């Protein structure tokens, strides 16, 4: 369980009712509440001592803008939160401002890591896509070389074939930048498609 430090006087507010609710909620958390390490998941809960307390306690949380969920666990009512914004609001209301700051910092770090992972996964997928396409293209070029020789190709297709053979890891854009003169991605794709059509024609002749 994740440790949250609560002050002896949860919140200094001029509104007596609001301050009392904050103190009461903080006391309830100290007696029957807990929070999972936010590095793992977002989950804060109160395990109430009897079912009769579930409805009034939920109403108290609702009064401070927190819409909690309820589940029975071993016959005991558990009021819980899983949305990070609501957990932050409740921690602040209970006077655990430092806990709120720590929670937000962890949330930001997790979001940054998740974004980095998504970018990394996307990059890996793109690399795999390039390699699979290059493998097919090289098979076509090898077939053309075997059946008729690359010298029989037009200068632009011969240049494209040799460049792809020497650089299987490069994207179409990168291949185009190596050509003399350089051409765009669509131009490279057009030349490789012409090589593919020629290779398919040779396959049908076998």
């Amino acid at each position: 369980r994740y440790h949250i430090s609560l002050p002896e006087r949860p919140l200094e507010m001029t509104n007596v009712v609001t301050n009392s609710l904050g103190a009461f909620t903080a006391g309830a958390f100290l007696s029957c509440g807990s929070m999972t390490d936010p590095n793992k998941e977002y989950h804060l809960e109160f395990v109430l001592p009897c079912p009769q307390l579930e409805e009034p306690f939920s109403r108290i949380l609702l009064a401070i803008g927190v819409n909690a969920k309820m589940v029975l666990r071993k016959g005991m009512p558990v009021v819980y939160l899983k949305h990070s914004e609501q957990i932050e609001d409740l921690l602040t209301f209970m006077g655990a401002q430092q806990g709120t700051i720590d929670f937000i910092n962890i949330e930001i770090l997790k979001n940054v890591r998740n974004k980095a992972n998504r970018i990394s996964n996307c990059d890996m997928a793109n690399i795999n896509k390039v390699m699979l396409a290059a493998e097919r293209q090289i098979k076509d070029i090898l077939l053309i070389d075997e059946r008729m020789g690359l010298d029989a190709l037009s200068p632009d297709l011969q240049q494209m074939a040799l460049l792809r053979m020497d650089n299987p890891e490069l994207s179409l854009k990168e291949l185009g930048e190596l050509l003399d003169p350089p051409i765009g991605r669509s131009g490279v794709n057009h030349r490789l498609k012409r090589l593919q059509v020629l290779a398919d024609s040779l396959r049908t002749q076998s």
Side-chain angles (χ1 to χ4, degrees):
R1 293 300 182 179
Y2 193 71
H3 177 70
I4 296 294
S5 297
L6 294 173
E8 294 181 3
R9 302 174 67 184
L11 285 177
E12 294 296 334
M13 294 184 179
T14 55
N15 188 306
V16 176
V17 174
T18 303
N19 192 40
S20 298
L21 286 177
F24 173 80
T25 308
F29 183 81
L30 290 172
S31 63
C32 63
S34 63
M35 189 173 86
T36 303
D37 184 350
N39 285 292
K40 300 176 181 178
E41 64 172 332
Y42 302 141
H43 184 91
L44 185 149
E45 68 179 32
F46 298 84
V47 182
L48 303 180
C50 62
Q52 291 79 6
L53 292 176
E54 184 271 323
E55 184 178 349
F57 187 70
S58 295
R59 285 204 304 267
I60 290 173
L61 295 182
L62 193 60
I64 61 176
V66 176
N67 187 15
K69 305 293 183 182
M70 197 280 287
V71 68
L72 286 175
R73 184 189 301 154
K74 296 181 180 179
M76 303 292 287
V78 179
V79 176
Y80 67 93
L81 308 174
K82 281 192 172 293
H83 293 293
S84 59
E85 296 85 358
Q86 290 194 336
I87 294 175
E88 292 162 13
D89 291 344
L90 184 58
L91 291 176
T92 301
F93 191 80
M94 293 189 301
Q97 286 87 348
Q98 186 58 51
T100 303
I101 293 172
D102 294 341
F103 186 95
I104 292 174
N105 287 337
I106 291 172
E107 184 180 16
I108 292 172
L109 183 59
K110 285 178 67 176
N111 289 338
V112 171
R113 286 174 176 169
N114 290 338
K115 183 176 181 180
N117 287 336
R118 287 195 299 270
I119 292 174
S120 176
N121 292 337
C122 182
D123 289 343
M124 184 58 65
N126 287 335
I127 290 172
N128 290 336
K129 184 178 179 181
V130 168
M131 294 303 294
L132 288 174
E135 183 180 356
R136 292 192 299 268
Q137 293 156 3
I138 290 173
K139 285 182 179 179
D140 290 340
I141 294 168
L142 289 174
L143 178 64
I144 294 170
D145 188 30
E146 178 186 346
R147 297 288 182 85
M148 54 184 291
L150 298 183
D151 291 341
L153 297 173
S154 61
D156 61 334
L157 290 186
Q158 184 179 9
Q159 184 187 25
M160 186 74 260
L162 293 173
L163 192 62
R164 173 45 95 194
M165 291 283 288
D166 291 339
N167 302 277
E169 78 285 356
L170 296 186
S171 66
L172 300 187
K173 181 177 180 294
E174 292 168 329
L175 284 175
E177 292 170 351
L178 293 179
L179 289 169
D180 186 20
I183 63 174
R185 182 184 183 282
S186 60
V188 173
N189 186 58
H190 177 68
R191 293 187 185 185
L192 290 170
K193 286 292 185 182
R194 288 167 61 192
L195 289 170
Q196 179 185 351
V197 170
L198 177 57
D200 288 341
S201 176
L202 292 173
R203 289 188 182 97
T204 60
Q205 296 174 14
S206 59

